[in-house]
């Protein structure tokens, strides 16, 4: 079992930056694909970014490509989401997720491929 805790959310002006962190506990946390999803009020959950266990492969949702960067530090059991050039439409609750399959070389954009979820952290972008 893996537990996930997000941090780093907050309020920022449009054009600004934030870095989210997701700290994982559990002895397999460094061996699994991790992802970030977001959900705005009244909208479906949206894939933001994902990264495989080794950090060698990542994938991004179309709406954040070129602005967001996902990375991980397995020594710290932490995954990061660096968000630059933030827009009003990036406002949402951001959730960290983990895929239980070990040493999987794939990143999935469908939320039902992920087994572990954090509680989420609010990101609010203001004008």
């Amino acid at each position: 079992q893996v537990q996930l805790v997000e941090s780093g959310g907050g309020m920022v002006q449009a054009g600004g930056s934030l870095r989210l962190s997701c700290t994982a506990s559990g002895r397999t946390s460094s061996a699994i694909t991790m992802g970030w999803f977001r959900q705005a009020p009244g909208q479906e959950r949206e894939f933001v970014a994902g990264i495989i266990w080794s950090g060698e492969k990542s994938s991004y949702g179309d709406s954040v490509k070129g602005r967001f960067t996902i990375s991980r530090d397995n020594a710290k059991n932490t995954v990061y989401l660096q968000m630059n050039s933030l827009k009003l439409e990036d406002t949402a609750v951001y959730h960290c997720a983990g895929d239980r399959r070990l040493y999987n070389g794939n990143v999935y954009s469908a939320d039902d491929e992920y087994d572990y979820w954090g509680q989420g952290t609010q990101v609010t972008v203001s004008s």
Side-chain angles (χ1 to χ4, degrees):
Q1 189 72 12
V2 173
Q3 288 79 43
L4 304 174
V5 178
E6 303 96 335
S7 61
M11 183 176 291
V12 64
Q13 287 192 323
S17 299
L18 277 177
R19 188 177 79 158
L20 305 183
S21 299
C22 172
T23 300
S25 62
R27 59 188 181 90
T28 62
S29 60
S30 62
I32 61 174
T33 292
M34 298 290 293
W36 286 97
F37 288 78
R38 67 186 183 186
Q39 189 166 22
Q43 297 187 19
E44 293 187 354
R45 187 180 290 171
E46 176 188 13
F47 172 74
V48 176
I51 189 167
I52 67 169
W53 65 276
S54 65
E56 293 178 346
K57 180 180 176 181
S58 59
S59 179
Y60 296 89
D62 288 341
S63 62
V64 306
K65 282 180 181 176
R67 300 188 298 122
F68 291 11
T69 303
I70 189 171
S71 61
R72 66 190 298 162
D73 183 342
N74 284 340
K76 297 181 178 179
N77 291 327
T78 301
V79 176
Y80 304 98
L81 184 68
Q82 178 66 44
M83 305 185 295
N84 298 330
S85 302
L86 283 161
K87 304 176 181 180
L88 296 178
E89 52 264 41
D90 293 319
T91 295
V93 176
Y94 284 70
H95 294 270
C96 178
D99 169 8
R100 68 187 301 168
R101 289 164 286 198
L102 302 182
Y103 303 111
N104 186 357
N106 296 315
V107 177
Y108 301 99
S109 60
D111 58 4
D112 60 3
E113 296 284 356
Y114 294 82
D115 306 282
Y116 312 118
W117 291 87
Q119 293 297 311
T121 185
Q122 176 71 46
V123 171
T124 302
V125 184
S126 63
S127 58

